[in-house]
Amino acid sequence: MAVVVDSGFLSRITAAEKNITHQDEPVEGGPTAQAQSHVGSQLNSQVIHDITMGERKITGSDLPAKRGPTAVAQHLFTQASGTGGGNNSQQRSGNHSQQHSGVLDSETISKITENEAQITGQVDPVRGGPTAKAQQHAGEPITSQALHDITEGEKKVTGGERVKGGPTSAAQSELAKSRS
């Protein structure tokens, strides 16, 4: 079940943008404007990427805002491709309570963020760290490139080392579960 970029989708992105800007009108080139350029298309990683770039324009931060436009888009994308989808991975996995799609979805990124927080002792993800690297690949399959980028982010927060059970391990675990 795909999400289409339509008026309902745009209103959710606009509401999330207003929570950041506290303005009635969307910012030129911001997340709403980026989403509008995809009206009629299915929500995919490119649309999410463009919304993220628009959000960065208004926040000045590489990290998506909590409950911001990027988070809203990722949530809708994950809902559509996850449990409500009736897709093949759901049928193959039988009665498991959770699907493992092998995609960097919000749940996997959340695990990466938790593991990063355990390393850094900070609630907020580090700029250029594993969460930020994972978010660059949000909605995409977990590929060797995505794992490499997450590892580079992990090394940034650890001083150059990989950590057993760390952020990269969370992504690798999701990938392994999707293949079983």
Side-chain angles (χ1 to χ4, degrees), residues 158-172:
T158 63
E161 299 294 317
R162 283 240 0 240
V163 177
K164 185 175 184 176
T168 303
S169 298
Q172 288 172 324

Side-chain angles (χ1 to χ4, degrees), residues 73-127:
Q74 286 175 334
H75 175 74
L76 293 170
F77 181 78
T78 302
Q79 272 188 323
S81 59
T83 52
N87 56 19
N88 289 338
S89 66
Q90 184 177 17
Q91 292 159 359
R92 262 193 322 244
S93 64
N95 291 330
H96 298 303
S97 60
Q98 181 192 353
Q99 268 119 333
H100 299 285
S101 60
V103 169
L104 273 168
D105 58 15
S106 61
E107 193 167 321
T108 303
I109 292 173
S110 177
K111 288 176 188 168
I112 291 167
T113 305
E114 286 172 25
N115 291 358
E116 180 179 340
Q118 288 176 349
I119 294 168
T120 64
Q122 300 174 14
V123 177
D124 293 326
V126 173
R127 180 183 216 124

Side-chain angles (χ1 to χ4, degrees), residues 11 13-14 19 23-24 30 48 53 60 63 87 95 99 119 122-123 125 134 137 145 149 152 162 164-165 168 171 175:
S11 67
I13 298 300
T14 303
N19 285 338
Q23 299 174 6
D24 287 336
I48 293 171
M53 293 297 109
L63 301 174
N87 56 19
N95 291 330
Q99 268 119 333
I119 294 168
Q122 300 174 14
V123 177
H137 295 281
Q145 183 61 52
D149 291 350
E152 290 305 306
R162 283 240 0 240
K164 185 175 184 176
T168 303
L175 181 60

Side-chain angles (χ1 to χ4, degrees), residues 34 38 43-56 70 73-74 135-138 140:
Q34 295 296 332
H38 294 283
L43 180 59
N44 58 30
S45 59
Q46 183 60 53
V47 176
I48 293 171
H49 174 267
D50 291 351
I51 291 169
T52 302
M53 293 297 109
E55 184 173 328
R56 283 183 186 172
T70 300
Q74 286 175 334
Q135 287 170 332
Q136 291 174 347
H137 295 281
E140 298 174 11

Side-chain angles (χ1 to χ4, degrees), residues 128-130 133 147-157 168:
K133 296 294 187 182
L147 289 170
H148 170 78
D149 291 350
I150 294 166
T151 300
E152 290 305 306
E154 182 173 333
K155 287 179 179 177
K156 180 174 181 172
V157 299
T168 303

